[in-house]
Short mmCIF file of all heavy atoms in Angstrom, two decimals:
data_model
loop_
_atom_site.label_atom_id
_atom_site.label_comp_id
_atom_site.label_asym_id
_atom_site.label_seq_id
_atom_site.Cartn_x
_atom_site.Cartn_y
_atom_site.Cartn_z
N VAL A 1361 119.60 77.96 112.49
CA VAL A 1361 119.91 78.15 110.99
C VAL A 1361 119.91 76.81 110.24
O VAL A 1361 119.35 76.75 109.18
CB VAL A 1361 121.39 78.74 110.82
CG1 VAL A 1361 121.77 78.71 109.32
CG2 VAL A 1361 121.45 80.18 111.28
N ILE A 1362 120.33 75.78 110.99
CA ILE A 1362 120.22 74.44 110.41
C ILE A 1362 118.74 74.13 110.19
O ILE A 1362 118.33 73.55 109.18
CB ILE A 1362 120.94 73.48 111.25
CG1 ILE A 1362 122.46 73.61 111.14
CG2 ILE A 1362 120.64 71.97 110.84
CD1 ILE A 1362 123.26 72.87 112.22
N GLY A 1363 117.92 74.46 111.21
CA GLY A 1363 116.48 74.13 111.05
C GLY A 1363 115.86 74.92 109.98
O GLY A 1363 114.92 74.39 109.15
N MET A 1364 116.24 76.18 109.70
CA MET A 1364 115.71 76.95 108.65
C MET A 1364 116.09 76.34 107.27
O MET A 1364 115.25 76.25 106.27
CB MET A 1364 116.23 78.33 108.65
CG MET A 1364 115.59 79.21 109.74
SD MET A 1364 116.03 81.02 109.53
CE MET A 1364 117.79 80.97 110.02
N LEU A 1365 117.37 75.91 107.13
CA LEU A 1365 117.81 75.22 105.91
C LEU A 1365 117.12 74.04 105.65
O LEU A 1365 116.70 73.74 104.53
CB LEU A 1365 119.24 75.07 105.93
CG LEU A 1365 120.15 76.43 105.95
CD1 LEU A 1365 121.65 75.97 106.17
CD2 LEU A 1365 119.94 77.07 104.66
N CYS A 1366 116.83 73.16 106.66
CA CYS A 1366 116.19 71.85 106.58
C CYS A 1366 114.68 72.09 106.15
O CYS A 1366 114.12 71.41 105.36
CB CYS A 1366 116.20 71.06 107.81
SG CYS A 1366 117.94 70.39 108.19
N GLY A 1367 114.09 73.19 106.88
CA GLY A 1367 112.65 73.43 106.56
C GLY A 1367 112.51 73.96 105.07
O GLY A 1367 111.58 73.61 104.33
N ALA A 1368 113.48 74.83 104.61
CA ALA A 1368 113.36 75.22 103.19
C ALA A 1368 113.68 74.14 102.19
O ALA A 1368 112.97 73.93 101.22
CB ALA A 1368 114.55 76.49 103.01
N GLY A 1369 114.64 73.29 102.48
CA GLY A 1369 114.74 72.08 101.68
C GLY A 1369 113.61 71.15 101.63
O GLY A 1369 113.29 70.65 100.57
N LEU A 1370 113.01 71.04 102.85
CA LEU A 1370 111.76 70.16 102.87
C LEU A 1370 110.59 70.75 102.07
O LEU A 1370 109.90 69.97 101.29
CB LEU A 1370 111.38 69.92 104.33
CG LEU A 1370 110.29 68.93 104.66
CD1 LEU A 1370 110.71 67.53 104.20
CD2 LEU A 1370 109.88 68.92 106.01
N TYR A 1371 110.49 72.05 102.11
CA TYR A 1371 109.41 72.72 101.39
C TYR A 1371 109.72 72.51 99.83
O TYR A 1371 108.76 72.40 99.12
CB TYR A 1371 109.38 74.28 101.72
CG TYR A 1371 108.35 75.03 101.01
CD1 TYR A 1371 106.98 74.91 101.30
CD2 TYR A 1371 108.77 75.78 99.90
CE1 TYR A 1371 106.06 75.62 100.68
CE2 TYR A 1371 107.82 76.55 99.16
CZ TYR A 1371 106.49 76.44 99.54
OH TYR A 1371 105.52 77.11 98.82
N VAL A 1372 110.91 72.85 99.50
CA VAL A 1372 111.35 72.64 98.02
C VAL A 1372 111.03 71.13 97.54
O VAL A 1372 110.54 71.06 96.39
CB VAL A 1372 112.76 73.12 97.80
CG1 VAL A 1372 113.15 72.64 96.36
CG2 VAL A 1372 112.94 74.56 97.98
N ALA A 1373 111.33 70.23 98.32
CA ALA A 1373 111.16 68.87 98.06
C ALA A 1373 109.71 68.38 97.97
O ALA A 1373 109.29 67.64 96.98
CB ALA A 1373 112.00 67.96 98.99
N LEU A 1374 108.85 69.11 98.88
CA LEU A 1374 107.48 68.63 98.86
C LEU A 1374 106.58 69.64 98.07
O LEU A 1374 105.37 69.29 97.93
CB LEU A 1374 106.95 68.65 100.32
CG LEU A 1374 107.54 67.61 101.23
CD1 LEU A 1374 107.05 67.79 102.72
CD2 LEU A 1374 107.31 66.24 100.73
N PHE A 1375 107.18 70.61 97.43
CA PHE A 1375 106.30 71.60 96.77
C PHE A 1375 105.47 71.03 95.72
O PHE A 1375 104.27 71.34 95.60
CB PHE A 1375 107.12 72.82 96.24
CG PHE A 1375 106.33 73.86 95.58
CD1 PHE A 1375 105.65 74.79 96.27
CD2 PHE A 1375 106.21 73.96 94.18
CE1 PHE A 1375 104.92 75.78 95.68
CE2 PHE A 1375 105.38 74.87 93.58
CZ PHE A 1375 104.75 75.82 94.38
N PRO A 1376 105.98 70.17 94.87
CA PRO A 1376 105.06 69.53 93.80
C PRO A 1376 103.86 68.89 94.30
O PRO A 1376 102.78 68.87 93.75
CB PRO A 1376 106.01 68.62 93.08
CG PRO A 1376 107.42 69.04 93.25
CD PRO A 1376 107.34 69.72 94.64
N LYS A 1377 104.07 68.22 95.53
CA LYS A 1377 102.84 67.50 96.04
C LYS A 1377 101.88 68.49 96.92
O LYS A 1377 100.70 68.29 97.13
CB LYS A 1377 103.37 66.46 97.13
CG LYS A 1377 104.02 65.40 96.37
CD LYS A 1377 104.49 64.26 97.30
CE LYS A 1377 105.16 63.16 96.56
NZ LYS A 1377 105.70 62.07 97.40
N LEU A 1378 102.52 69.59 97.37
CA LEU A 1378 101.71 70.67 98.09
C LEU A 1378 101.04 71.57 97.13
O LEU A 1378 100.03 72.31 97.49
CB LEU A 1378 102.62 71.44 98.99
CG LEU A 1378 103.15 70.59 100.10
CD1 LEU A 1378 104.21 71.56 100.88
CD2 LEU A 1378 102.10 70.17 101.08
N GLN A 1379 101.43 71.72 95.89
CA GLN A 1379 100.81 72.71 94.98
C GLN A 1379 99.29 72.58 94.77
O GLN A 1379 98.64 73.56 94.81
CB GLN A 1379 101.68 72.71 93.66
CG GLN A 1379 101.48 73.94 92.79
CD GLN A 1379 102.44 73.99 91.57
OE1 GLN A 1379 103.09 73.03 91.38
NE2 GLN A 1379 102.37 75.05 90.88
N PRO A 1380 98.86 71.40 94.63
CA PRO A 1380 97.35 71.26 94.43
C PRO A 1380 96.62 71.78 95.66
O PRO A 1380 95.51 72.37 95.54
CB PRO A 1380 97.20 69.83 94.22
CG PRO A 1380 98.43 69.24 93.73
CD PRO A 1380 99.46 70.03 94.44
N PHE A 1381 97.25 71.54 96.83
CA PHE A 1381 96.59 72.08 98.08
C PHE A 1381 96.58 73.60 98.10
O PHE A 1381 95.58 74.15 98.50
CB PHE A 1381 97.40 71.55 99.32
CG PHE A 1381 96.88 72.12 100.59
CD1 PHE A 1381 95.77 71.81 101.14
CD2 PHE A 1381 97.77 73.14 101.27
CE1 PHE A 1381 95.30 72.36 102.38
CE2 PHE A 1381 97.32 73.74 102.34
CZ PHE A 1381 96.04 73.35 102.97
N PHE A 1382 97.61 74.28 97.62
CA PHE A 1382 97.64 75.64 97.58
C PHE A 1382 96.79 76.24 96.60
O PHE A 1382 96.09 77.34 96.82
CB PHE A 1382 99.12 76.23 97.34
CG PHE A 1382 100.03 75.89 98.39
CD1 PHE A 1382 101.45 75.45 98.14
CD2 PHE A 1382 99.78 76.01 99.71
CE1 PHE A 1382 102.27 75.27 99.16
CE2 PHE A 1382 100.63 75.80 100.75
CZ PHE A 1382 101.90 75.39 100.40
N LYS A 1383 96.62 75.64 95.40
CA LYS A 1383 95.74 76.06 94.36
C LYS A 1383 94.25 75.84 94.64
O LYS A 1383 93.39 76.46 94.00
CB LYS A 1383 96.11 75.41 93.08
CG LYS A 1383 97.42 75.87 92.45
CD LYS A 1383 97.55 75.35 91.11
CE LYS A 1383 98.97 76.01 90.45
NZ LYS A 1383 99.17 75.75 89.05
N ALA A 1384 93.94 75.11 95.71
CA ALA A 1384 92.55 74.82 96.08
C ALA A 1384 91.96 76.01 96.65
O ALA A 1384 90.79 76.31 96.76
CB ALA A 1384 92.42 73.71 97.05
N PHE A 1385 92.85 76.93 97.20
CA PHE A 1385 92.28 78.24 97.90
C PHE A 1385 91.90 79.29 96.87
O PHE A 1385 92.57 79.35 95.92
CB PHE A 1385 93.30 78.79 98.89
CG PHE A 1385 93.56 77.97 100.14
CD1 PHE A 1385 94.67 77.17 100.10
CD2 PHE A 1385 92.71 78.05 101.14
CE1 PHE A 1385 94.85 76.31 101.26
CE2 PHE A 1385 92.82 77.21 102.25
CZ PHE A 1385 93.95 76.36 102.37
N PRO A 1386 90.81 79.97 96.96
CA PRO A 1386 90.47 81.02 96.14
C PRO A 1386 91.37 82.18 96.07
O PRO A 1386 91.95 82.45 97.07
CB PRO A 1386 89.06 81.43 96.41
CG PRO A 1386 89.00 81.04 97.82
CD PRO A 1386 89.82 79.84 98.10
N ASP A 1387 91.72 82.75 94.90
CA ASP A 1387 92.43 83.98 94.81
C ASP A 1387 91.65 85.18 94.69
O ASP A 1387 90.91 85.35 93.62
CB ASP A 1387 93.41 83.86 93.56
CG ASP A 1387 94.40 84.98 93.43
OD1 ASP A 1387 94.40 85.76 94.38
OD2 ASP A 1387 95.04 85.08 92.35
N PHE A 1388 91.54 85.99 95.75
CA PHE A 1388 90.81 87.21 95.70
C PHE A 1388 91.59 88.38 95.15
O PHE A 1388 91.04 89.48 95.22
CB PHE A 1388 90.31 87.47 97.10
CG PHE A 1388 89.34 86.44 97.68
CD1 PHE A 1388 89.73 85.62 98.68
CD2 PHE A 1388 88.17 86.26 97.14
CE1 PHE A 1388 88.96 84.57 99.21
CE2 PHE A 1388 87.22 85.27 97.60
CZ PHE A 1388 87.74 84.41 98.69
N GLY A 1389 92.77 88.20 94.84
CA GLY A 1389 93.67 89.29 94.26
C GLY A 1389 94.01 90.15 95.38
O GLY A 1389 94.09 89.77 96.62
N LYS A 1390 94.25 91.48 95.14
CA LYS A 1390 94.68 92.36 96.13
C LYS A 1390 93.41 92.97 96.87
O LYS A 1390 92.63 93.54 96.30
CB LYS A 1390 95.52 93.51 95.60
CG LYS A 1390 96.88 93.15 95.16
CD LYS A 1390 97.61 94.29 94.56
CE LYS A 1390 98.97 93.76 93.96
NZ LYS A 1390 99.75 94.90 93.47
N VAL A 1391 93.22 92.57 98.23
CA VAL A 1391 92.09 93.00 98.85
C VAL A 1391 92.56 93.75 100.12
O VAL A 1391 93.47 93.37 100.78
CB VAL A 1391 91.29 91.78 99.39
CG1 VAL A 1391 90.06 92.21 100.14
CG2 VAL A 1391 90.86 90.84 98.17
N THR A 1392 92.00 94.93 100.44
CA THR A 1392 92.29 95.73 101.52
C THR A 1392 91.39 95.66 102.65
O THR A 1392 90.11 95.29 102.37
CB THR A 1392 92.51 97.24 101.06
OG1 THR A 1392 91.26 97.74 100.68
CG2 THR A 1392 93.52 97.32 100.00
N LEU A 1393 91.67 96.06 103.80
CA LEU A 1393 90.76 96.06 104.96
C LEU A 1393 89.46 96.95 104.70
O LEU A 1393 88.49 96.66 105.08
CB LEU A 1393 91.48 96.38 106.16
CG LEU A 1393 92.45 95.25 106.83
CD1 LEU A 1393 93.29 95.83 107.93
CD2 LEU A 1393 91.62 94.04 107.22
N PRO A 1394 89.72 98.17 104.17
CA PRO A 1394 88.60 99.04 103.88
C PRO A 1394 87.55 98.34 102.86
O PRO A 1394 86.37 98.41 103.04
CB PRO A 1394 89.17 100.17 103.28
CG PRO A 1394 90.41 100.38 103.84
CD PRO A 1394 90.96 98.90 104.06
N GLN A 1395 88.09 97.56 101.95
CA GLN A 1395 87.28 96.88 101.00
C GLN A 1395 86.51 95.69 101.69
O GLN A 1395 85.24 95.62 101.47
CB GLN A 1395 88.07 96.30 99.71
CG GLN A 1395 88.55 97.27 98.90
CD GLN A 1395 89.53 96.66 97.89
OE1 GLN A 1395 90.14 95.55 98.09
NE2 GLN A 1395 89.81 97.31 96.76
N VAL A 1396 87.15 94.95 102.56
CA VAL A 1396 86.56 93.92 103.26
C VAL A 1396 85.48 94.44 104.15
O VAL A 1396 84.22 93.85 104.27
CB VAL A 1396 87.50 92.99 103.97
CG1 VAL A 1396 86.88 92.04 104.93
CG2 VAL A 1396 88.46 92.47 102.96
N SER A 1397 85.74 95.46 104.97
CA SER A 1397 84.87 96.12 105.92
C SER A 1397 83.77 97.00 105.38
O SER A 1397 82.82 97.30 106.09
CB SER A 1397 85.55 96.64 107.02
OG SER A 1397 86.32 97.85 106.52
N GLY A 1398 84.01 97.51 104.14
CA GLY A 1398 83.13 98.45 103.61
C GLY A 1398 83.24 99.87 104.30
O GLY A 1398 82.24 100.57 104.29
N THR A 1399 84.29 100.20 104.89
CA THR A 1399 84.53 101.43 105.53
C THR A 1399 85.55 102.35 104.76
O THR A 1399 86.25 101.73 103.98
CB THR A 1399 84.99 101.20 106.96
OG1 THR A 1399 86.16 100.45 106.96
CG2 THR A 1399 83.90 100.57 107.82
N PRO A 1400 85.49 103.55 104.95
CA PRO A 1400 86.51 104.48 104.31
C PRO A 1400 87.93 104.15 104.75
O PRO A 1400 88.22 103.84 105.88
CB PRO A 1400 86.12 105.85 104.66
CG PRO A 1400 84.70 105.81 105.36
CD PRO A 1400 84.52 104.44 105.74
N THR A 1401 88.84 104.36 103.79
CA THR A 1401 90.30 104.28 104.10
C THR A 1401 90.76 105.18 105.24
O THR A 1401 91.53 104.84 106.15
CB THR A 1401 91.19 104.51 102.83
OG1 THR A 1401 90.63 103.56 101.87
CG2 THR A 1401 92.59 104.25 103.12
N GLY A 1402 90.24 106.40 105.28
CA GLY A 1402 90.56 107.34 106.23
C GLY A 1402 90.30 106.87 107.64
O GLY A 1402 91.01 107.20 108.60
N LEU A 1403 89.14 106.17 107.76
CA LEU A 1403 88.77 105.70 109.09
C LEU A 1403 89.78 104.62 109.60
O LEU A 1403 90.25 104.50 110.84
CB LEU A 1403 87.35 105.00 109.08
CG LEU A 1403 86.87 104.34 110.34
CD1 LEU A 1403 86.60 105.64 111.35
CD2 LEU A 1403 85.54 103.73 110.08
N TRP A 1404 90.29 103.80 108.70
CA TRP A 1404 91.35 102.85 109.05
C TRP A 1404 92.66 103.55 109.43
O TRP A 1404 93.40 103.12 110.38
CB TRP A 1404 91.56 101.82 107.90
CG TRP A 1404 90.63 100.77 107.91
CD1 TRP A 1404 89.43 100.71 107.22
CD2 TRP A 1404 90.64 99.49 108.73
NE1 TRP A 1404 88.72 99.56 107.46
CE2 TRP A 1404 89.41 98.83 108.33
CE3 TRP A 1404 91.47 98.94 109.57
CZ2 TRP A 1404 89.09 97.57 109.03
CZ3 TRP A 1404 91.14 97.82 110.25
CH2 TRP A 1404 90.01 97.11 109.85
N VAL A 1405 92.98 104.52 108.75
CA VAL A 1405 94.13 105.24 109.01
C VAL A 1405 94.15 105.88 110.34
O VAL A 1405 95.09 105.74 111.12
CB VAL A 1405 94.58 106.36 107.87
CG1 VAL A 1405 95.65 107.22 108.34
CG2 VAL A 1405 94.86 105.69 106.62
N VAL A 1406 93.17 106.58 110.67
CA VAL A 1406 92.91 107.21 111.94
C VAL A 1406 92.83 106.23 113.01
O VAL A 1406 93.48 106.41 114.12
CB VAL A 1406 91.66 108.12 111.94
CG1 VAL A 1406 91.34 108.64 113.35
CG2 VAL A 1406 91.74 109.35 110.98
N GLY A 1407 92.12 105.17 112.85
CA GLY A 1407 91.94 104.04 113.86
C GLY A 1407 93.36 103.33 114.16
O GLY A 1407 93.66 103.25 115.36
N VAL A 1408 94.11 103.04 113.22
CA VAL A 1408 95.42 102.53 113.40
C VAL A 1408 96.38 103.47 114.03
O VAL A 1408 97.15 103.10 114.96
CB VAL A 1408 95.95 101.92 112.06
CG1 VAL A 1408 97.48 101.55 112.21
CG2 VAL A 1408 95.16 100.75 111.62
#
Side-chain angles (χ1 to χ4, degrees):
V1361 170
I1362 291 169
M1364 287 188 292
L1365 292 173
C1366 290
L1370 188 64
Y1371 179 78
V1372 168
L1374 294 177
F1375 183 75
K1377 293 181 181 180
L1378 293 173
Q1379 197 169 11
F1381 172 74
F1382 294 139
K1383 288 190 174 189
F1385 291 101
D1387 182 10
F1388 296 110
K1390 294 182 180 181
V1391 181
T1392 64
L1393 289 172
Q1395 291 172 338
V1396 171
S1397 63
T1399 56
T1401 304
L1403 183 63
W1404 278 95
V1405 171
V1406 170
V1408 170

